[in-house]
Amino acid sequence: MGPGALQKKLEEEVEAYKKIQKDISKTSGLRTQLDVQLNENKVVKEELDLINEENVVYKLIGPALIRQDLEEARQNVSKRVDYIQQEIKRHGNTIEKLEKEAEAKRENIAKHQQQLQQMMMKQAAK
Amino acid sequence: MAANKGAGPQVIDISKLNLEQLTTLKNQLDQELQFFSESLQQLKIAQLKFNESGECVEKLTPETKGKEILVPLTSCMYVPGTVANSEKLLIEVGTGYYIERDVPGAKDYFSRKIKFVTEQMEKIQKIASEKSKLREGGCDLVCFESQSF
């Protein structure tokens, strides 16, 4: 492969690498947000577990406070906690996969850079 | 570059790092410290708010029932009213859920929240001072190395 084509390939790889980095940071951000939501829901779950039937529970739906059944509220929050934990796991897996891809790309880029350098040196020696 | 600094349990002797890596490490620690101090501020505000709410609840005793109060309808309009119920209080616990509790229950909620926030603040304070020490050490090394050139 001539140096021109190699250079072009290198640029393509760098572009792809940058895209992977962007995806990683986007997914990381989502994961952090999910963490925050998880904590909030855990706190609500704790509070709901502490009270008993005589304390009324309301949920804010739009502009209205609607009365909720305690058991139903507890189940809803539990389900939300489970769902968020699943989402966090999923995002974690995606990040892991993306990081492996990024690592492979990094090595590829380094290899190509080396090849290009060697080619340049050979040309300069001529 | 990111791979060199390591994370988690990997121990790096900072005296082995060269100047460029030290500066990057110092910048990263600076950012982390900034984040910690912002978090501490937010926690402090939360602590103050919970404190205030707790004190308001203290004021709501059985004697206040039937007392005249001014109820805010908008940010600049108040309407006279009377305290109808000084036993039941609605507390927002998060994610759109509100729980009705009596006065001791509400006081208990706020004191628990204040304790929780204070604990988190102490945790962050500890980590922040460790990072600060690390940053100081890194800073000294940077000065030392740049002098030896």
Side-chain angles (χ1 to χ4, degrees):
Chain A
M1 225 193 298
L6 194 59
Q7 178 85 332
K8 196 152 171 287
K9 185 118 192 329
L10 186 66
E11 283 172 4
E12 282 174 7
E13 299 266 310
V14 170
E15 278 304 312
Y17 179 66
K18 280 193 199 158
K19 185 170 175 301
I20 295 182
Q21 291 284 63
K22 235 190 348 184
D23 284 339
I24 289 182
S25 61
K26 194 178 76 172
T27 316
S28 278
L30 281 173
R31 196 180 168 288
T32 313
Q33 220 186 5
L34 283 173
D35 250 334
V36 169
Q37 285 182 339
L38 180 68
N39 275 329
E40 203 186 341
N41 277 287
K42 275 198 187 151
V43 164
V44 177
K45 188 166 179 302
E46 270 176 30
E47 290 299 321
L48 288 176
D49 287 337
L50 274 175
I51 62 172
N52 47 35
E53 279 300 332
E54 56 182 41
N55 302 101
V56 190
V57 177
Y58 297 88
K59 183 150 170 54
L60 191 68
I61 300 180
L65 272 179
I66 312 283
R67 198 185 163 126
Q68 292 259 305
D69 181 37
L70 178 61
E71 260 323 301
E72 198 185 321
R74 280 185 183 156
Q75 277 181 356
N76 272 336
V77 180
S78 275
K79 274 196 217 139
R80 250 186 91 77
V81 167
D82 288 333
Y83 171 72
I84 294 179
Q85 278 172 333
Q86 267 181 341
E87 285 289 291
I88 288 182
K89 223 192 293 185
R90 194 169 63 92
H91 280 100
N93 287 339
T94 311
I95 291 179
E96 233 180 75
K97 197 176 69 150
L98 284 173
E99 288 201 331
K100 279 200 194 121
E101 273 182 39
E103 184 67 43
K105 273 272 181 287
R106 254 204 298 265
E107 285 173 8
N108 227 353
I109 289 177
K111 207 172 58 175
H112 281 124
Q113 270 181 332
Q114 258 186 340
Q115 279 182 334
L116 196 62
Q117 260 184 338
Q118 285 175 343
M119 239 181 248
M120 297 285 203
M121 288 203 306
K122 264 193 220 156
Q123 282 205 328
K126 278 191 198 154
Chain B
M1 196 59 173
N4 295 1
K5 278 194 283 311
Q10 190 185 352
V11 175
I12 312 157
D13 191 359
I14 53 175
S15 54
K16 293 213 173 72
L17 296 175
N18 64 36
L19 193 61
E20 192 186 316
Q21 287 169 316
L22 271 176
T23 323
T24 318
L25 178 65
K26 180 178 160 304
N27 285 336
Q28 192 201 12
L29 285 173
D30 269 338
Q31 262 186 342
E32 288 181 16
L33 278 172
Q34 173 91 327
F35 175 69
F36 284 141
S37 99
E38 279 172 10
S39 305
L40 267 175
Q41 256 187 331
Q42 284 179 332
L43 283 173
K44 192 123 195 38
I45 293 178
Q47 194 190 39
L48 278 173
K49 281 202 187 155
F50 282 130
N51 234 339
E52 242 184 78
S53 301
E55 287 177 11
C56 287
V57 174
E58 303 264 338
K59 297 221 158 73
L60 211 66
T61 64
E63 305 156 338
T64 54
K65 195 169 181 135
K67 265 206 181 156
E68 247 196 47
I69 53 172
L70 281 172
V71 182
L73 282 185
T74 63
S75 55
C76 36
M77 188 167 88
Y78 288 70
V79 163
T82 48
V83 177
N85 187 344
S86 63
E87 270 110 59
K88 291 284 175 189
L89 299 162
L90 257 184
I91 308 175
E92 182 181 359
V93 287
T95 68
Y97 277 99
Y98 290 69
I99 299 183
E100 210 181 69
R101 300 209 75 172
D102 55 0
V103 173
K107 280 194 214 168
D108 175 58
Y109 172 81
F110 287 123
S111 56
R112 252 181 304 129
K113 281 285 181 247
I114 293 175
K115 199 169 91 166
F116 175 71
V117 173
T118 315
E119 274 170 18
Q120 298 300 319
M121 277 172 73
E122 282 170 13
K123 260 195 241 172
I124 291 191
Q125 196 78 287
K126 211 166 64 156
I127 301 178
S129 64
E130 274 175 26
K131 297 264 176 197
S132 183
K133 272 193 222 145
L134 208 62
R135 184 183 161 279
E136 288 295 321
C139 228
D140 288 339
L141 267 172
V142 168
C143 293
F144 178 68
E145 296 216 359
S146 55
Q147 270 176 0
S148 53
F149 278 141

